[in-house]
Amino acid sequence: MHSTLTESLDVLLPNLEPALATTDAALGLKALAANLAPILRGGFECRLNVNSPQVDLQQCIVRNESELVLLRELIATATSKGGESAHPAWFRLNDFLSEWLSLSSPLYNSIPEIWLEFDIDNSEARVPIPAIFFGLQQDVSPAVETYAIATKSLDLLLGDPGWCDWQGNLYRCFKSCPDGVFVSHIGAMLSRNAPALRVNVKRLQPQLLIPYLQEIGWQHETNEIEALMKQLFGLVDRITVCLDVGKQIYPQIGLECIFLNQPDSESRWVTFFNYLVEQGLSQPEKRDALLKWSGFTNPINAQAPWPNNLIVDSLLQSRERFSVFERRLSHIKISWRKQRPLLAKAYLWFEHRWLSGKI
């Protein structure tokens, strides 16, 4: 028995306070969710700057047969309604899934997850084209060993002609990684018609940032971004560097600021959010709302009816196991580009889980 994703958002959205998701934003999320696969793992992307009410939706898919069946049903719907005019991205995503599921494919054990990121821009498309991110193995050294998996995946998602002019720059992003640094995710930004890939580089220390950027061919002023990363690194546990890689390494850089623990056991979240407010990157109301996001929603404390399929599935579980949605703060992303204001976004994670015992 399938429920819609909207039923799950009805359960989650009361914890996403109006400061983060206005009534209109929540309605947009629910309208989109009504047309998506009911895969109950993902997140919300909330802009923190003043007068930035847009909230986008993400879904995370692992190589799970039931989840891939649901995703393929979505693809079949999107392509059948569009007929010959259906966006080729859906057909390419289907080809990628076939390869990912094949035991003989190098992708089978090398892609831990994919992400679909849906921008909610009030377009008339029932199912907008998502940006498609795929994860890469993170225990491979040197990092360039995963480049072949990246190219195979991109050929499937974009077609070889679709990104052939970018291959040299992407290769340098892998080859230039110092020991312990790696490319964790690559995004095909199909929803934005961007002439570039999004490349996420993990474990770069502040002192390694500029040498790395120069080695991959980033040709811009370095003092400001170096100072910003050093300042942010003193406030958080880790920073992931996000690059836009196409025919050039584009000027904008994203810095994903990460804590290893949630606010209930990590007081530095408050310090970090206060810093964002002081820098004009977040409204105080959004700071306060973010600090209330983490936790668990269960059938007892939920402010909306529990999804029907989860009620049915509960009957098949042992008496000690129960259904919950876990909510976590994932990270805060600061986007930098010289001579432009900094922008901040919060990424809020959710996942349905079966737990045993007491929360």
Side-chain angles (χ1 to χ4, degrees), residues 24-82:
D24 286 345
L27 289 173
L29 288 166
K30 292 168 67 172
L32 171 62
N35 297 302
L36 297 184
I39 295 171
L40 309 183
R41 183 189 310 102
F44 302 111
E45 178 181 336
C46 303
R47 290 146 180 82
L48 300 183
N49 298 78
V50 177
N51 299 322
S52 301
Q54 183 176 337
V55 180
D56 297 327
L57 183 63
Q58 305 170 341
Q59 286 188 294
C60 177
I61 298 97
V62 298
R63 199 187 64 240
N64 173 290
E65 183 175 350
S66 62
E67 291 187 7
L68 293 179
V69 166
L70 293 173
L71 182 53
R72 281 185 148 162
E73 289 175 357
L74 169 69
I75 295 171
T77 300
T79 52
S80 65
K81 290 183 177 178

Side-chain angles (χ1 to χ4, degrees), residues 144-301:
V144 74
E145 292 296 321
T146 61
Y147 175 73
I149 298 298
T151 60
K152 175 68 172 178
S153 301
L154 291 168
D155 285 345
L156 289 164
L157 292 172
L158 297 175
D160 179 63
W163 74 287
C164 62
D165 292 339
W166 313 342
Q167 291 187 24
N169 285 332
L170 180 64
Y171 178 76
R172 281 191 290 275
C173 291
F174 283 81
K175 183 66 174 178
S176 301
C177 285
D179 289 344
V181 176
F182 52 89
V183 175
S184 66
H185 294 80
I186 296 178
M189 310 304 287
L190 301 175
S191 59
R192 304 175 190 177
N193 294 317
L197 305 166
R198 179 66 47 79
V199 179
N200 290 357
V201 182
K202 286 188 178 291
R203 305 293 190 271
L204 267 176
Q205 300 293 309
Q207 70 274 15
L208 298 176
L209 175 64
I210 301 308
Y212 176 80
L213 291 176
Q214 291 173 337
E215 189 166 345
I216 65 174
W218 190 78
Q219 299 176 351
H220 304 280
E221 192 276 326
T222 61
N223 290 338
E224 192 175 304
I225 184 63
E226 182 178 32
L228 177 63
M229 185 169 179
K230 286 181 178 178
Q231 187 175 48
L232 294 173
F233 199 81
L235 296 169
V236 302
D237 288 325
R238 292 176 180 168
I239 291 180
T240 296
V241 177
C242 305
L243 305 169
D244 290 338
V245 178
K247 290 184 178 180
Q248 61 175 293
I249 311 296
Y250 287 91
Q252 179 169 300
I253 290 179
L255 300 175
E256 292 184 350
C257 301
I258 301 164
F259 288 100
L260 300 180
N261 295 305
Q262 291 298 292
D264 61 353
S265 59
E266 176 53 84
S267 62
R268 290 180 299 157
W269 277 105
V270 176
T271 303
F272 181 57
F273 285 147
N274 287 339
Y275 163 83
L276 296 180
V277 172
E278 291 165 2
Q279 298 297 314
L281 297 175
S282 175
Q283 297 172 283
E285 297 82 4
K286 292 187 177 184
R287 169 199 61 196
D288 298 342
L290 287 171
L291 289 170
K292 296 177 183 178
W293 169 253
S294 299
F296 293 88
T297 302
N298 59 55
I300 296 174
N301 65 20

